[in-house]
Amino acid sequence: MATPKLPTWLRIYGFVLNRMSWPVVVLFVLILFSIPLFKAITAMSKLGYGSFYVELQAAAIDRGIAEIPKELKGLSSEQLHYFLVVGGETGNEIQYRPPLSHERQQRIIDELKARGLLEVVKILEPTDPDYPKSAGGAKAVLFKTTDKGRKAHSLIMDVLYEQIARAR
């Protein structure tokens, strides 16, 4: 017995439907789950590596100091730690004696100075009359935080406090 011959339009429709079924299913799933997918992608901007920088940028833009995160980007953890310790709101003529060699400390200060965050006021030698005994024979560097440095420090601390408060 011979199979009945289908009309041309039905064969074309069957061919297209056969070839297009998986893209239609994918499109349907994307439409169906578009809102949950969008929410997941949006939430990912708050997660993972760089989320702190993203929040820092947003807070800086809100404060009108959008250039500051660019100055902080690329600082090593050691440089950032040093800046956070010495670069506070009242960072005027500070002497900080970390457990670092003078040369290593000077490289950190030079980098922070190049970014406009700190300013060296004075370098004291052991023979100077104002030399602090706590410096232990090494050069003592007196520096202060610039206006830009104060803004950067305040920005970092505020974003940190917000993240800690949200983590509770």
Side-chain angles (χ1 to χ4, degrees):
M1 183 170 180
T3 57
K5 188 156 175 127
L6 296 173
T8 306
W9 68 269
L10 193 53
R11 285 191 310 223
I12 291 172
Y13 180 73
F15 177 79
V16 170
L17 190 59
N18 189 30
R19 299 287 188 269
M20 295 298 293
S21 62
W22 72 267
V24 170
V25 170
V26 169
L27 185 62
F28 177 74
V29 168
L30 284 176
I31 291 170
L32 185 65
F33 294 109
S34 62
I35 293 173
L37 281 173
F38 177 75
K39 286 181 180 177
I41 290 169
T42 304
M44 284 172 48
S45 71
K46 295 283 184 188
L47 302 173
Y49 182 74
S51 68
F52 183 77
Y53 185 74
V54 170
E55 288 189 41
L56 199 67
Q57 281 181 308
I61 290 168
D62 288 346
R63 294 179 182 198
I65 52 175
E67 75 283 353
I68 288 186
K70 294 173 194 151
E71 295 296 341
L72 299 171
K73 193 170 187 175
L75 286 176
S76 69
S77 59
E78 186 176 54
Q79 292 165 335
L80 188 57
H81 169 82
Y82 194 93
F83 175 67
L84 289 175
V85 169
V86 302
E89 296 289 322
T90 59
N92 289 323
E93 293 206 24
I94 295 171
Q95 179 199 355
Y96 173 55
R97 181 81 176 123
L100 304 171
S101 68
H102 174 74
E103 292 76 24
R104 195 165 168 190
Q105 182 181 8
Q106 192 60 49
R107 282 194 303 272
I108 292 170
I109 292 170
D110 289 344
E111 182 63 32
L112 296 173
K113 192 171 121 182
R115 293 171 186 248
L117 302 172
L118 291 181
E119 181 180 310
V120 174
V121 175
K122 194 176 191 182
I123 299 175
L124 299 172
E125 299 289 339
T127 56
D128 288 327
D130 295 338
Y131 183 79
K133 292 179 183 176
S134 62
K139 292 180 184 178
V141 180
L142 299 176
F143 48 87
K144 66 179 183 178
T145 308
T146 63
D147 184 51
K148 183 185 203 178
R150 283 187 181 87
K151 289 176 183 175
H153 191 276
S154 174
L155 177 68
I156 292 169
M157 297 310 291
D158 289 350
V159 172
L160 276 173
Y161 294 145
E162 287 173 23
Q163 283 191 349
I164 290 168
R166 280 195 312 261
R168 291 181 188 176

